[in-house]
Amino acid sequence: MIISLIGMIYKYYESFGGKMNDSFHNSNRIYFDCNATTPILKDACQAVLCTMEKVYGNPSSTHMAGAEAKMILERARIFASEVIQAKPSEIFFTSGATEAIQISVLSLLQWISAQKKLGTNFENKKILISATEHKAVPNAVEHWCKVLGLDIEIITIPVNEKGHLNLNVIEEHAQETIFLCTMAVNNETGLITNLKNIEKIIRKQAHHIYWLVDSVQALGKIDLKLSELSIDYATFSGHKIHAPKGIGFLYLRENAPQCPLIVGGGQEQGVRSGTENLPGIAAIGVVLEKLNQRKKGIESSQLRSEKELFEFRNILLNALNEAFPSIEFNTDLEESVPTTLNFSIYGLLSKEIMNAFDAAGISISGGSACNSKSIEYSHVLCAMNLPEWKKASGVRLSFSMMTTKNEILNGVQAILAAGKAFRNSCLNLSCSIENNNLDKIPDKSSFHGVIQFQYDYSNTWLLVDSNTKNCIIIDPTIESMDRIASFIQCRNLSVQAVLDTHSHADHESSRKKLLNKLNLIDNSNDILGWPGDENILLFNSNEWEIERLGTPGHTKDSVSYLVYNKTNEEKLEFVFVGDTILTGGLGRTDFGISAVNQFYNTLHLLNKKFDDNVLLCPAHDYNNSFATTWGVEKNTNKLLEKAINPFNVMSLNEFCEEKKLIDSELCSNKVQGKIICGLIQSSVHIEDKSEPTINPEKLNNEDFILIDIRDKTESLLFKDWNIFGIEFEPISIPMIQITNLMIDLLQKKSNFLNKKIVLLCSTGNRSLYIAKSFRRMGFQNVWSINGGVAFSRLRSDEKLNNDF
Ligand code: PLP
């Protein structure tokens, strides 16, 4: 009888007096981000411990301790070769797939380089790389071409909207192609590549096209039979299949060019020197052994069968469709692995979906990377040329071979709760509140005052009076239009005006489109949307009155909207300044429609009208500042400081000259391909250099006000406050309403004025940006909780584990 690898390792372990411990998985989170990494299989974990504690010999040593280690190493190699139907001699252990990719690419490129030296002509030769590869592949090709001084044309193979490779492009270039890089399963969409179809094309050629197939996401999910395919290099990663991070392997076809990336003691047939990572190899070996057994129909209590995985997907699909009726899946489910679901929800940004799921207890991945404001779409969804909204909303839910039915069912509850919370926050556009008998709308009136809708670096502002249910909209952007319309309709607000602060040099205003969307007639008699002839707008509110003030400069027609508070001695509290003043800069004035020489007077006018505590709400925010104040700008914005200096240090001409110079530097500056509307300086001269962060433990000891700045949806979903050891629920002021707190503090209206204010979000990122912004305005009593909810949860998990 053949003894299993884990059995063998246990044997070693127990013979040395070790004991198996059952309770090492302890988490109440539902982890649906398994394409990023997977939880480690229990047996694999034990294999790591056993090999570290007991079988720690060096496989190269010739004594018995070395021989034991070598046996584990070679058995793991056999299991790897069996799973992918290759020869053991074609398997090379590496630190992971990225390294395996480097070895493949370097091997081939070094071979080309050597052939060239021998006189082979590689002119007109091409490298073909699929557009949806993991970044490790194109980056490796580019890097090693550069290092080796190879000037070979690299062609990106496009995909269609379903993610399928354009085979015609492969066919068209095949004759000149020397190296082809494709993947077996896409990590973002789960789409399975039909490798046989590609093979048919490339093997028609008289010459050999070397072929790398990144198979990281295929292992364990589809049956890879490398003996039946003419792939030269295939790459695999341990941490995607329940082994630890830091281990993977490369399949390198016999006779394919090989060149080591790391040279030394000659381990792994000289392809990968360095003492082998035996704990990692033992662990991946254990998983591979189980995969082999599964293939042979032997069930494992730790790994789900393919049938179960499809059943799980159906359960999740039903829940997602029920929670988000407008959901669209970004891959053809028939052609993808069951464990990956990539979807978009109309009206919701991927980070909003991700944050809400996170608050509901599910970890999923946002398809797009973003800092606090800017959005960088997934290159895979971009390559698929999906509509803008799908790219902005795309997320990936991925479970694994280890996911249990219980986790799936808990996931369903969390998904339904997330759908409900989005509806309650008027953000789930797919379902009208009126028809939704599931939900009781919580306090709609909580949206009062200034609301900031952000998209990329643009701001659209809403001024909402929840008492009279009136609002005005300032600087609508096309990207925020749908969510603004939904916000207004869901809350039954009446729109008094849709205003622009200026005509746009580079695009059309979205004012008319928004009016259309809201079925409103344009009641304005100027191009920027101002109703009536007076410069005062009696906004139907007991609180505010709005003045239109011409502020030419950025454009000739630029205006600012000054908001006075009738309940605060008619004080000017905040201003929608458009692109006239930005945080740390002035709006650019080099457009055909700009008026640089009027800008000087505009700044003098503003200086007369504004006191230091007036909050400025700009149309763009490149610095994650949310808003700024006249006082801060006067002190930090160099040109502004000089222009309004009471001792007349700068003349109009000097101002224009300096402004032109600054604008000319801006010309070449773009943020993600879009033009910048004004000078931005991220390093503003603020003396306080300390990070405004505080550790959660401090919350118990000091007097503070805790403010939850996450979206309303997240706050509705997350109730687990006792992780902070606090008894009360924090005050919720979502990030989009944070300017109201700024105004209250600036106007000394806030109850929190002399209190320590601690801001909280899920990971500590968003709250840190806001805390910095408050600090920038001079409020040194504002902090962000270090690591946010995530850190506190970790600590409470840790406590739980220690109690066991
Ligand atoms: N290729 C694909 C398709 C992946 O999903 C990943 C990991 O995200 C990699 C390569 C890199 O793998 P590793 O983390 O083992 O270097």
Side-chain angles (χ1 to χ4, degrees), residues 35-36 96-98 101 134 136 183 185 187 214 216-217 237 239-240:
N35 286 7
T98 303
I101 289 166
H134 186 279
M183 67 202 313
V185 170
N187 48 312
D214 178 353
V216 167
Q217 299 289 347
S237 174
H239 72 104
K240 310 288 181 173

Side-chain angles (χ1 to χ4, degrees), residues 43-58:
D43 282 350
C45 194
Q46 299 296 4
V48 172
L49 288 176
C50 295
T51 42
M52 285 201 296
E53 283 186 25
K54 308 295 176 193
V55 198
Y56 45 74
N58 185 331

Side-chain angles (χ1 to χ4, degrees), residues 185 190-192 217 221-222 310 313 333 335-340:
V185 170
L191 182 75
I192 302 167
Q217 299 289 347
K221 296 171 194 162
I222 60 169
F310 276 104
R313 176 167 82 177
L333 297 177
E335 293 175 296
S336 32
V337 291
T339 44
T340 306

Side-chain angles (χ1 to χ4, degrees), residues 35-37 94-101 132-137 183-188 214-218 235-240 244-249 396:
N35 286 7
T37 196
T94 63
S95 66
T98 303
E99 188 192 328
I101 289 166
T132 51
E133 287 302 289
H134 186 279
K135 285 288 174 209
V137 173
M183 67 202 313
V185 170
N186 186 272
N187 48 312
E188 291 194 29
D214 178 353
S215 306
V216 167
Q217 299 289 347
T235 53
F236 302 89
S237 174
H239 72 104
K240 310 288 181 173
K245 292 152 190 73
I247 186 67
F249 64 95
R396 176 187 72 191

